[in-house]
Amino acid sequence: MGLLDNKTAIVTGSSRGIGAEVAKILAGEGAAVVVNYRQKAPRASKVVAGIEAAGGRAAAVGADLTTNEGVHALASAAMENFGSLDVLVLNASGGMESGMEEGYALKLNRDAQINMLNAAVPLMQEGSRVVFVTSHQAHFINSVPTMPEYEPVARSKRAGEDALRELLPSLTEKGITLVVVSGDMIEGTVTATLLDRSNPGAIEARRAEAGKLYSVEEFAAVVAGMVTADVESGHTEYAGGADYFGKNAG
């Protein structure tokens, strides 16, 4: 018996990287997983095929979370494919990509998170859980500076976290819990690659400062663990970056 048998999970931004790993872990624990992508359909299909080959259940659903249609399509896909929605992992984020319109980071990292949650909540039973994935660079942005290239993204992700936390009382009324997972810079992610491109040596410097950076797999295991962890709503789980806590950050 898996911890998540007969449960359905949506993992946003799960065609690659952390999201894809989280989807695989949750499927391994028995959850039916909605794998969400914006443009990378072949990658999402590959994630689904991998889950199915391992005996799990999954479906790939294309949805742009910055649109109303996108969030509703994704939420209803859980019901249509698997008949319930019990877990929502808010993993999709961005803002470092080139050529995006003004305000895109806030649109994706704050507004889309809230809209996705609001679309999901009416479908979720009591006992459901939402997990929001963020970074130390964002979580601690008000007390610990980050690289200038990343600051707008960090601020938009912190705004997203704050907006989600404002919904804690209404989620509690419905018996839904929200957990935040904050990770240090992760080796091999898109964000890390883009940061290193705009600020060469950034990752190496962070690795030296932190002593060790989590891999995508290690961080995904922390995120997936928070789906079933017995913690209070509003709990923040930290992965790596112990030096942040020596700066009286909070």
Side-chain angles (χ1 to χ4, degrees):
M1 287 290 284
L3 284 171
L4 293 169
D5 284 347
N6 303 318
K7 305 275 191 208
T8 302
I10 290 174
V11 183
T12 66
S14 47
S15 65
R16 62 180 175 189
I18 295 157
E21 287 299 321
V22 170
K24 286 177 203 166
I25 298 169
L26 298 182
E29 290 175 358
V33 184
V34 177
V35 174
N36 158 243
Y37 64 94
R38 192 176 51 127
Q39 292 166 320
K40 309 258 184 307
R43 285 193 184 175
S45 302
K46 204 173 159 187
V47 175
V48 168
I51 287 172
E52 289 177 341
R57 296 178 300 149
V61 178
D64 179 350
L65 303 185
T66 62
T67 67
N68 254 339
E69 305 79 54
V71 293
H72 288 286
L74 192 53
S76 50
M79 304 303 287
E80 284 159 21
N81 285 282
F82 305 117
S84 72
L85 176 53
D86 312 278
V87 173
L88 173 62
V89 179
L90 294 168
N91 166 71
S93 71
M96 288 288 294
E97 308 86 348
S98 56
M100 290 303 186
E101 78 263 24
E102 187 71 27
Y104 177 74
L106 263 180
K107 203 170 158 185
L108 177 59
N109 297 333
R110 181 192 64 195
D111 306 347
Q113 310 297 321
I114 296 301
N115 294 341
M116 185 67 235
L117 181 63
N118 287 335
V121 160
L123 309 174
M124 298 178 100
Q125 304 294 318
E126 200 172 322
S128 294
R129 173 153 296 173
V130 180
V131 178
F132 176 67
V133 181
T134 187
S135 65
H136 292 353
Q137 283 84 5
H139 182 75
F140 293 112
I141 189 62
N142 296 325
S143 50
V144 183
T146 186
M147 295 164 224
E149 296 86 349
Y150 192 63
E151 182 154 340
V153 176
R155 292 208 175 275
S156 68
K157 281 190 73 68
R158 181 69 227 197
E161 180 182 340
D162 292 343
L164 287 166
R165 288 185 183 280
E166 280 171 25
L167 299 175
L168 279 168
S170 66
L171 290 174
T172 299
E173 274 172 33
K174 298 184 174 75
I176 300 170
T177 51
L178 168 74
V179 177
V180 173
V181 180
S182 179
D184 196 2
M185 209 176 273
I186 313 287
E187 300 269 12
T189 57
V190 178
T191 301
T193 308
L194 292 172
L195 265 177
D196 219 41
R197 200 173 293 160
S198 63
N199 189 342
I203 306 301
E204 207 175 312
R206 181 69 202 123
R207 192 185 300 122
E209 196 179 15
K212 164 194 189 306
L213 296 183
Y214 275 55
S215 68
V216 167
E217 291 76 11
E218 288 169 325
F219 183 60
V222 176
V223 174
M226 283 301 113
V227 167
T228 50
D230 184 10
V231 292
E232 281 184 16
S233 195
H235 171 79
T236 306
E237 184 73 13
Y238 298 105
D243 56 317
Y244 270 85
F245 309 100
K247 295 173 181 171
N248 302 319

